[in-house]
Every structure is written in C-alpha cells, then in structure tokens.
Amino acid sequence: MTSEAGGEILFERRGPLGLVTLNRPKALNALSLPMIRAMHAQLRAWEEDDSISRVAVRGAGGRAFCAGGDIRRIYEVARAGDETELYEIWAGEYGLVAYVGRYPKPYVSLIDGIVMGGGVGISLHGEYRVAGANYSFAMPEVGIGLFPDVGMTHALPRLPGHTGFYLALTGARIGAGDALAVGLATHHVPGTDFDALVDRLAAGVAVTDAIAPHAAPPPPAGSLVSERALIEACFDAETVPEVLERLDARAAAGSTFAAETAALMRTRSPTSLCIAREQMRRGVNLSLAEAILAEYRLVTRLMEGADFFEGVRAVIVDKDGKPAWRPARLEEVDLDAVRAAFGPSGWPEPRFA
C-alpha cells in the first residue's frame, strides 16, 4: 500500500485489483487538490499496467464515501485572490471526473454513507456503483450558490421521469432505495460486506460474479419513487417560477411533499436554480466531456459573482443558514446572462475529452 497527499488517499495493488481508499474521514473524505492529482495519476498508471484488470474506490471512516470537493479551500483561495490555485482545483476535479467517465477498465465504486458533489463525480460515471445500506446521495450545490456540477449536466437529465430535474433544483437527499430505482446506483451490498467483496475482486473473480454473493434486495424506496407522478408533472415546466407555481397548486390541494419541496427551493439561490434548469434543458444533448466543459465555463462566471461566496459563508463558514442571495428573487435573475454563461468564458479552457 502506498499513501499520497499526506496520507489523505491510499493506493493498494491487490492481485489484479487497484484499490483506492479516500482517507480523510474527519472531513468526510472531501477531495483536496493533492488527492485529486494523486488519484488521477494513479488511475493513469493502472490503465497502462496490464497486471491491473479492475479498479475499486472506497471511503474510510464509515460516515461517508466522499462529501465532495474541498469547498472551504476553494472559498479561501478565491478570497485570497489566488486565481492560479482556484482554477487548478476546478480543472483538476473536472478532469478527474471526465477521466473516470472514460476509464477503459472496470471501475467499481463502493459507496456507503454520504456521497455528494465531487464524490458523486468520481463514482457515478463509473460502470459499477455499489450502494451500502447507509448510502445518502445529494447534489446540494444550489444551496451554496453553485450548480450541480461534476458531470451532472450530463447525468441528471437522463434519469427517468424528471427525477434528475428534481434532484438538481432541490438538492434533496435520497437513500439507496431511490438511487437504485432511478439508476444512480447499480447494486446494493451491505457496507459490512465491502471488505469481502474487495477480497473477491482481488482474487480475480469477474466483477458481476464478485458482487452477486453479497447482493441484497433493494431497500425500500422513498419519495423519489412514491412521488414520481407529482415530480413528473411539476418539474417538466419550462421555467423555475412555473415549477414553483405547479408545486404550490399541488400543495394547495393537500400535498405535503409539494409544499415541502417548494419551501426548500425557495431557500436556494435564485441564480443557481435558473442555471440548474438550463443545465437540465441542455444536458440531454451533451456528451459527458461536453457537459463538463460547460460546467467549467459556468464556474468561471460564478467565481466572479457573489452567490457562491455568500452561500459558502452562510452554510460552511459562519453556519448561520441565512444567505443573502443577489438577486434575491427569481424574477430578477437575468436569464440572458444565464444562457450566455454556457458559452466560452475567455479563460483558457482545459480539454475534458
């Protein structure tokens, strides 16, 4: 076993298996730039190594697979005016996500506990997404003035029945049952069986055959399944205000779920909501690489604005939960500027293909 990034990420060769362990449990295995660089380099080395036939990725500590990118660090370097490191973080994370999406060897994500943001990016685009019983998925970026990134422009519009639109515009959490029902996860294995599954992968057993003895029936699904008809009816609206109007009408007719969903959306950044809705419109026609390039362009714009910094301040730094969004009302969002933000930014752009 080797460790990189000060021990924050571990790499182990076990027979034909290359095993990655995210080893930052106190930070819920959030991805730092050194972790991102080390993982990208190791995956490339294993791609070229004929003795490695499959890769698995897991998180240490039991509470999280990976809670995302290191948002606090991004906030700090941006506030310090360090544009070099700022865009190295974004380009590095997005580059790793794009590489996972085209990785030529079987890629197995062992996901128990929290999986959000960048953690979704380095797991969802792989072939095998094994959810433990404590799996908890969210893309909550609209709550910090960002948008669902790391390839979600590509992935979420492709989920059935506008469920991806709902996840993008609310940032709501879902469990393993819902994730399996809509295809975010491919298999369910209790987290207590992950070590045994790794042993079988290391013994060279074909991936599907390695998973099979440990597979369990899907846990009960939640509101993403039970409220599927309402989600479809409300979230296929063309604009965010129209989504809210439909939710309000359902709430007036007695739907608690609709009332709670509308209330949650009204706490989110209006600009982020409009960006997320435009992502869902465009993303179904974009490849993963094209989607990630669009996200990089978007993030360069948002780093020049106010809502991301205000959202991180309110949620992560000061933790007062009271962001002052600018603008504060959906009606004040410049939709032409939102659409323009998907175009070339003027910054040097990485290649994600």
Side-chain angles (χ1 to χ4, degrees):
M1 179 183 295
T2 61
S3 65
E4 300 285 345
E8 293 180 343
I9 189 165
L10 309 176
F11 304 113
E12 186 176 359
R13 178 194 297 268
R14 295 183 56 182
L17 173 68
L19 180 63
V20 180
T21 302
L22 308 175
N23 190 41
R24 203 182 172 199
K26 290 183 179 179
L28 300 179
N29 299 319
L31 295 169
S32 66
L33 180 57
M35 291 169 70
I36 290 165
R37 287 173 169 166
M39 183 172 174
H40 203 156
Q42 187 63 68
L43 289 178
R44 287 188 184 279
W46 283 337
E47 178 183 355
E48 300 299 322
D49 187 340
D50 291 341
S51 70
I52 296 294
S53 63
R54 73 283 306 274
V55 168
V57 184
R58 65 183 179 184
R63 294 175 58 204
F65 170 76
C66 174
D70 193 341
I71 292 295
R72 182 182 286 271
R73 179 62 181 170
I74 292 170
Y75 176 89
E76 290 170 350
V77 299
R79 282 297 189 215
D82 187 348
E83 292 185 346
T84 298
E85 182 174 348
L86 176 64
Y87 289 105
E88 284 179 347
I89 294 172
W90 289 117
E93 182 178 18
Y94 289 2
L96 174 59
V97 169
Y99 183 52
V100 167
R102 63 176 187 273
Y103 202 66
K105 296 181 178 181
Y107 185 101
V108 184
S109 303
L110 302 174
I111 313 165
D112 208 20
I114 295 166
V115 57
M116 298 191 298
V120 176
I122 63 167
S123 59
L124 180 61
H125 304 297
E127 185 176 359
Y128 300 94
R129 305 177 296 277
V130 182
N134 296 318
Y135 174 106
S136 180
F137 168 102
M139 288 299 295
E141 287 78 8
V142 291
I144 59 167
L146 196 59
F147 57 88
D149 60 347
V150 294
M152 294 306 101
T153 304
H154 171 83
L156 293 182
R158 289 169 168 77
L159 297 187
H162 286 77
T163 50
F165 289 52
Y166 164 80
L167 294 170
L169 289 165
T170 63
R173 289 197 182 199
I174 62 168
D178 279 335
L180 289 157
V182 300
L184 290 168
T186 59
H187 300 81
H188 173 51
V189 170
T192 52
D193 282 11
F194 279 5
D195 286 344
L197 173 53
V198 168
D199 288 342
R200 289 177 63 82
L201 292 170
V205 178
V207 175
T208 52
D209 294 336
I211 295 171
H214 304 286
S223 57
L224 203 64
V225 171
S226 63
E227 300 288 351
R228 173 81 170 269
L230 185 151
I231 289 170
E232 174 69 30
C234 295
F235 282 84
D236 72 346
E238 285 298 311
T239 68
V240 178
E242 288 171 354
V243 172
L244 286 167
E245 286 174 9
R246 294 183 186 187
L247 288 169
D248 289 342
R250 294 299 186 103
S255 170
T256 300
F257 174 79
E260 292 174 347
T261 299
L264 179 61
M265 287 178 61
R266 288 187 168 103
T267 69
R268 305 318 201 183
S269 159
T271 299
S272 294
L273 289 174
C274 293
I275 289 173
R277 182 61 186 85
E278 187 67 15
Q279 286 178 269
M280 297 303 99
R281 185 192 330 279
R282 293 171 181 254
V284 72
N285 296 315
L286 299 178
S287 68
L288 178 59
E290 290 169 338
I292 292 174
L293 176 58
E295 292 166 1
Y296 186 81
R297 290 170 171 174
L298 287 168
V299 87
T300 63
R301 270 42 178 260
L302 291 188
M303 292 304 97
E304 297 171 352
D307 272 10
F308 171 75
F309 300 100
E310 175 61 9
V312 174
R313 181 207 62 76
V315 175
I316 296 173
V317 179
D318 296 338
K319 299 182 180 179
D320 60 24
K322 297 178 180 179
W325 304 123
R326 300 198 319 229
R329 301 172 63 247
L330 280 167
E331 294 78 9
E332 297 170 348
V333 176
D334 184 344
L335 296 181
D336 288 336
V338 167
R339 288 186 283 267
F342 284 80
S345 64
W347 286 86
E349 294 181 344
R351 293 185 69 255
F352 298 110

